[in-house]
Every structure is written in C-alpha cells, then in structure tokens.
Amino acid sequence: MPRLPSPLTLSDRDRPAPELRRKRRRETATAWGFISPAVLVIVGLSVLPVIWSLLLSFQADDLVTPSRWVGLDNYHALVKDPHFSQAVRNTLIYTVLYVPLSMALGLVLAVALNRRIRLVGLYRTLIFVPFVISAAAQGVLFSFILDPEFGAANSLLHKIGISPQGFLTDPAQALSLLVLISLWSGTGFCVVIYLAALQDVPESLIEAARLDGAGRWAIMRHVTLPTLTPISTFLVLWQIIQSLQVFDLVYVTTKGGPLGSTTVIVYFIWEQAFKNFTAGYGAAAAYALALVLIAFGAITRLLQSRQNRRIEGATR
Amino acid sequence: MTATHTPPETVHLPQAQRPPSEPPGRRRFKLPFSAWHLALAPLALLFALPLLWLALSSVMSNAEINRFPPALWPSGIHLDGYRYVLGNAMFPRWFLNSVIVSVVAVASNLVFGALGGYAFARMRFAGSRAMLALMLATMAIPFQLTMIPTFLVMKQLGLIDTLGALIVPSLVTPFAVFLLRQFFLSLPRELEEAAWIDGCSRLRVLYLIVLPLARPALSTVAVLTFLTTWNDLTWPLIAINHDTNYTLQLGLTTFQGRHHTQWSAVMAGNVITVLPVLIAFLFAQKSFIRSITSTGLKG
C-alpha cells in the first residue's frame, strides 16, 4: 500500500508554524489586554456578588461583625414574615396596574403620533421628556404637588369644590398615586417603542389592504396590531421587570408608608440590609426576587431571539 | 436583515420623516388643522403640566407657596429659591460630584467598551466565546441581587463613603461592550485589512479607522451612560454616608426632608438636578430616542 510522503509536506507546513504561533499568542495577549478592564469590573462586581449573595442568604449578617451560618432559616422566616408578604402584594398590585395601563396608553398615543400632522414633534417631545427625569426628581416634585397643605393638587380641587385629599399620606391612595406618577414618566417609553415598531409595519401591506377596501379601523385591527404583537410581548415582559424593581420613587415619596401601604419588594430588601442591618435576610429576599426576574429575563431573551430569526427568515 | 446586528443604524427614529404614502403634491392641500389635535393637545399638556409647575414654583416666593390655597401662578420672578440653594455650601458640591461621577463613567465606558467590543468583534483568542457568554449573562442579573455584596466589596476596598464607590461599579457595563461589539461586527472588514497589511497595530486601527465610523454607537453608549449615572439614586444612597460626597439626586432627597418649608428652594434644587439631562435630551434628541429604542429592543 503506497504511503503518503508525509515527512516532506509536514516539514513544509511546519516551517511557518512557530511564527504563526507567536503571532497568535501575541493576538491573544492583546485581546485580553483589551477586554481585561471590562472583565475585571463585570466579573468582580456582578458574577462574584451573585455567588456572595447566595452565600449571604444562608447566613445571619449585619454587615459589620462576622456572619453566622443559619442554613435555610432566612427563607423560612421570609415565608412567614407578614411584612414581606405585604411587600410582595404591593409590588404585584403596582405591576398589575402599571403594566397594562402604560402599554395601552402608549399604544394609543403612538398611533395618534404616527400621523403627519402639525406640532407632532412637539407632542412627542412633551410626552417623552418625563422619561428622562430621575425618579428622585419626580418624587420630590410630586411630593410637593401632592402635599396635603401646600400642594397645587389640593389647591385645584379646592377651586372645583372637592374637599382636600391626603394623597401620599393616605394609605388608601398612596399606591395608586405612585402608579399614576410612574405612568406620567413611563408612558413615553412605550410610545417610543411602539412608534419605532409602527414605522416598521410594511407600507405595502397597508396599501394592499386599502386596495381591498379596508377602512382605517380594519387596517388597524387586521394589519397593524398583528404586526405589533412581538413588540407588545417584549414590552409586557420589559415593563414587568421594571415594575418588580421599583424603588427610587417609593424611597423619595413615601418611604414605604403610610402603614406599609407602599412597601415594595426592593424597598423591603433595602430596609432589611441597610436600615435594620440584617443583610443575610435581605439577600434571601433579593434572591427570591431575582429568581422571578431572571425567569422573566430568560423568557424575553428567548422570544427576542425567536423573533429575530423570524425577521431574518422573512427578509432572506 | 441587518436589524438584528446593528441596532443603532436600523432603528427607525420616530422623528424621521416617513416616506409619504400619498403623492407629495396632495400634502399641500391638507387641512392645517386635524381633529387629532383635539385629543393630543390636552394630553400633551397634561404630560407637560408637572414640569411647568416645577419651573413656576421654583420662581415663587415662599409667601406665595405657603398661603392656602397656594398660588397657581407666580406674581413675578423671585430668585430667592435659587439664591438659597446656590448660597448653600453643599448644593454646588453635590452638582460637582454628580458631574465627576457621570463624566468619568461616560469616558471610561467609551474607552473600555470600545476596547472590549473590538476584541470580541474582530480578534480570535482563547476564552473569547466563554467570556462573551459570561458578559451577556450578567446583563440579566438584577441590581438588587448584587447591591449588598457590592457594598461589601467596596467596603473591603475602603471605598465606601467616597466618590470611588460610585465610580468603580460604573466604569464599564456589559451593555457598552456588547452594543459596540454588535456595531463593529456590522462594519466591513476590508476597511481595516488594508491598514493591517501596512503594519498598523490593533490599537491604531481601532483609533484611526473603526472609532470614527462608530460615532452613532458611541453616542448611544455615551447618552445612556450619562442618563443612568446622573439619575441614579439607589447606589449613592447605599454607598455614601457623608453629605460632602452626595450626588445631586441623593442631596436633593435629603434637602427636601430638611427644608420642607422652603419649597421654593427645594424646587430650585430640583430644577438644577433635572436641567442637565433635559438640556442633553433637547440637544441630542435623536441619539436619546435611538438609544432608548435600541436598548429596549435589544434587552
């Protein structure tokens, strides 16, 4: 059986190899040099803390003295803690109110703002601007507007003959008012996302429907809304993730009160860790929330990649 | 479709003119007034009203605010609130702290984001895939999960209660690395290849050829980094104790608690806190909207 004249070709191929290898090693070194700041910060301040947090959640820790291993005690306590269940309940109420309202309002406004009419740029700007204002500034502004004594809101109500309200100091009103404030600032985000999506609705589909005699409403219902479905699913999940994490606004306006009526989960975590100095207990609550959030995040990512694939397939 | 690889370029700006669906000639005969205005104008006004009130109340005198029912329109422009806030030794300091933290965050996110993004987009090296996957995974981690251990890490580093504690975690975000990587991938390789053959180093290629082309992606990263660092409250609240190291957001909230009766001063402080972001937004509206849509759509 004839054999391949391997030695000859091998040595031929071998000659540039050391140089190539050196080149490749240099490339690897350069690349790691490029990414090392990012890796250091990101691994050091997110991967490490995720593990640390898990360990903390099994410990009793006050952030100062050495911690003590308590196993699942924190989680057991969490399940029984009425304050935690109230925080979960408040967060859920907030989410259930905020997510659908912001999206419905966002969609209606986006459809209205998608027309070529005068001043449309100004309208868009006015509706979006609250989104860039920090939750702290919003909180301070609305605590003033809703101040029972000095606020403009009661002043206006007084003018139309309605008795003064307690607003954020009234346990029955506080949470819904926080939802309203969030709607003021967060609807602009939904508008922008929907506007971007509306411009991607293929003009040809609308034209075809129009030729088939479809009216404005029929085009909306049968052409526009179905094309927006992927964006809507994305927005639902995104807004849910945002709502479950609400904190700044609560901290500035109500500090969880009155009577715990606005204590949300993240506020509860912050209070446990940095006010009561029960960091292990706070970490356990954070882990409980994070598992829910990561599940939602995974769903979002899955839907997005599927959606991207569909777009790629459609244009190919 | 390139949409999946290059968010900054293909996201259609809401402001952008849409291709006219009707012959352009007909537009001129359109009524200057549309019934939509009847619905849109009051709604837009409703969104603007709280901000208008912020501006108005910041120039009211305390007497006007403390009267019941409070005045709804200032009798004149009183700058007492601003004078009080700017004369207060702390407020300018908080402003400066916020500027320092935000500027460092923007600059370092651009530098480290571009370096990391370029390496991930163009260089082949051991561990590249694993590192990229790890970075992507960290984008799904909620801040609440990491805030307690991050506090402990910063404490170990001796940075708690210094601006360093605010700067270090915001030096570079996986978002910046990832967004820039996606953008670099969309650039044609041929542009860089000529330079390599001429013996240009990676760093020079990045600096001279790639970065000038990446302006839209860089502005997206800059805008978003500025917005999040300037507006952050949670982390400064945890990391800072002493009021000389407060940021504006943190200062404002404590200022409100302490000067409850001086609402005009609190509102003046609020205007100063909001103004930089507002100005940035009005100047770079397109970049802002683009960054919002691209981050939104890309998670």
Side-chain angles (χ1 to χ4, degrees):
Chain A
M1 201 183 254
R3 292 200 164 212
L4 287 169
S6 46
L8 213 133
T9 46
L10 244 179
S11 66
D12 223 29
R13 230 189 288 142
D14 248 0
R15 219 175 302 147
E19 199 188 318
L20 198 77
R21 215 179 300 142
R22 203 164 39 228
K23 226 178 183 175
R24 206 162 268 169
R25 213 177 299 141
R26 205 170 53 216
E27 175 103 334
T28 299
T30 321
W32 274 94
F34 280 19
I35 66 165
S36 56
V39 168
L40 211 67
V41 172
I42 290 163
V43 173
L45 292 176
S46 62
V47 177
L48 188 72
V50 165
I51 301 161
W52 198 338
S53 219
L54 184 65
L55 295 177
L56 263 179
S57 75
F58 298 125
Q59 297 170 357
D61 188 304
D62 61 0
L63 297 173
V64 185
T65 50
S67 51
R68 186 167 49 84
W69 193 266
V70 294
L72 284 172
D73 282 6
N74 284 329
Y75 290 94
H76 286 309
L78 214 51
V79 177
K80 285 188 217 129
D81 188 341
H83 294 292
F84 183 66
S85 51
Q86 188 183 20
V88 170
R89 206 163 43 238
N90 287 337
T91 310
L92 287 179
I93 293 172
Y94 177 91
T95 308
V96 165
L97 287 175
Y98 173 68
V99 176
L101 285 175
S102 67
M103 287 182 58
L105 193 57
L107 179 60
V108 170
L109 281 170
V111 168
L113 290 172
N114 197 32
R115 279 136 234 274
R116 279 180 289 109
I117 52 175
R118 283 191 179 190
L119 298 176
V120 78
L122 178 69
Y123 291 151
R124 286 173 182 172
T125 306
L126 288 181
I127 289 169
F128 185 69
V129 149
F131 183 76
V132 302
I133 290 170
S134 70
Q138 287 171 36
V140 170
L141 172 60
F142 278 96
S143 332
F144 175 48
I145 290 177
L146 300 173
D147 188 294
E149 282 173 65
F150 307 113
N154 263 338
S155 180
L156 279 175
L157 291 182
H158 180 80
K159 281 221 162 107
I160 52 174
I162 296 174
S163 59
Q165 302 290 309
F167 296 121
L168 292 169
T169 58
D170 183 344
Q173 297 176 352
L175 192 60
S176 344
L177 281 168
L178 289 184
V179 172
L180 275 181
I181 299 171
S182 309
L183 279 176
W184 175 71
S185 65
T187 302
F189 175 75
C190 297
V191 172
V192 161
I193 299 289
Y194 270 132
L195 263 175
L198 279 173
Q199 326 231 307
D200 279 342
V201 176
E203 204 73 26
S204 55
L205 277 183
I206 295 177
E207 207 54 50
R210 197 174 290 150
L211 286 177
D212 287 345
R216 255 190 196 174
W217 182 243
I219 291 176
M220 186 74 210
R221 167 133 177 36
H222 297 290
V223 180
T224 313
L225 286 184
T227 10
L228 292 181
T229 311
I231 289 296
S232 299
T233 12
F234 158 75
L235 262 184
V236 172
L237 292 163
W238 181 267
Q239 294 287 81
I240 289 176
I241 292 173
Q242 297 299 314
S243 313
L244 295 180
Q245 297 194 68
V246 67
F247 170 78
D248 288 5
L249 189 62
V250 175
Y251 174 81
V252 178
T253 52
T254 60
K255 296 235 172 8
L259 299 173
S261 62
T262 58
T263 302
V264 287
I265 298 176
V266 178
Y267 192 84
F268 178 87
I269 297 169
W270 173 82
E271 210 170 30
Q272 293 305 329
F274 299 104
K275 234 174 122 192
N276 304 346
F277 300 106
T278 46
Y281 193 50
Y287 242 89
L289 171 65
L291 290 181
V292 178
L293 286 172
I294 287 169
F296 276 117
I299 296 172
T300 318
R301 221 154 269 285
L302 199 76
L303 284 174
Q304 267 177 294
S305 66
R306 193 179 293 170
Q307 182 189 323
N308 286 347
R309 238 176 286 136
R310 205 182 304 146
I311 293 171
E312 272 170 28
T315 49
R316 209 169 278 140
Chain B
M1 185 161 148
T2 44
T4 49
H5 302 299
T6 63
E9 273 205 326
T10 50
V11 165
H12 298 279
L13 302 184
Q15 281 92 355
Q17 274 292 313
R18 304 181 55 200
S21 56
E22 45 203 284
R26 267 173 59 189
R27 263 187 85 189
R28 236 172 287 151
F29 300 104
K30 227 177 168 183
L31 278 173
F33 184 84
S34 155
W36 285 96
H37 287 290
L38 291 177
L40 280 174
L43 259 173
L45 200 69
L46 204 63
F47 275 88
L49 213 56
L51 283 180
L52 184 70
W53 185 245
L54 169 61
L56 287 178
S57 56
S58 75
V59 296
M60 277 186 192
S61 69
N62 273 317
E64 279 174 304
I65 290 179
N66 292 342
R67 172 170 98 205
F68 189 86
L72 290 178
W73 196 265
S75 60
I77 294 182
H78 303 270
L79 293 177
D80 303 352
Y82 288 92
R83 227 168 277 140
Y84 182 87
V85 159
L86 294 174
N88 181 312
M90 281 301 139
F91 229 86
R93 174 119 199 198
W94 297 338
F95 190 91
L96 187 69
N97 289 342
S98 275
V99 169
I100 293 171
V101 171
S102 305
V103 166
V104 172
V106 168
S108 71
N109 265 283
L110 290 180
V111 172
F112 297 141
L115 285 174
Y118 184 73
F120 281 125
R122 283 289 192 266
M123 300 166 81
R124 297 184 56 184
F125 58 98
S128 137
R129 277 165 162 258
M131 247 23 257
L132 189 66
L134 190 66
M135 260 187 213
L136 267 176
T138 61
M139 286 169 79
I141 299 170
F143 175 68
Q144 292 74 45
L145 191 56
T146 55
M147 71 184 184
I148 302 169
T150 304
F151 173 84
L152 294 170
V153 171
M154 289 297 144
K155 210 172 107 183
Q156 288 294 315
L157 295 175
L159 289 174
I160 285 300
D161 208 13
T162 69
L163 289 187
L166 303 181
I167 289 169
V168 170
S170 56
L171 278 177
V172 55
T173 54
F175 160 77
V177 176
F178 189 66
L179 187 121
L180 289 167
R181 170 189 174 262
Q182 294 300 91
F183 191 86
F184 295 154
L185 280 177
S186 75
L187 297 175
R189 265 169 196 275
E190 290 76 29
L191 292 169
E192 296 152 58
E193 262 157 17
W196 290 341
I197 291 164
D198 290 349
C200 232
S201 76
R202 288 287 192 179
L203 210 56
R204 272 177 73 91
V205 171
L206 176 62
Y207 182 71
L208 292 175
I209 298 168
V210 179
L211 286 188
L213 292 170
R215 291 269 279 282
L218 292 173
S219 70
T220 299
V221 169
V223 152
L224 218 80
T225 308
F226 175 71
L227 185 67
T228 47
T229 44
W230 185 271
N231 280 352
D232 192 20
L233 173 70
T234 317
W235 179 239
L237 179 69
I238 293 168
I240 302 295
N241 304 317
H242 203 252
D243 62 1
T244 48
N245 295 322
Y246 280 2
T247 59
L248 260 187
Q249 311 290 342
L250 184 54
L252 181 69
T253 60
T254 56
F255 191 73
Q256 178 207 11
R258 255 180 273 151
H259 300 264
H260 210 262
T261 44
Q262 297 242 34
W263 273 114
S264 67
V266 175
M267 287 302 118
N270 209 352
V271 169
I272 294 169
T273 307
V274 164
L275 219 50
V277 174
L278 219 56
I279 291 171
F281 172 71
L282 294 177
F283 267 103
Q285 199 163 358
K286 279 194 179 177
S287 285
F288 253 97
I289 301 285
R290 185 173 50 214
S291 63
I292 300 299
T293 35
S294 59
T295 44
L297 295 172
K298 300 306 287 183

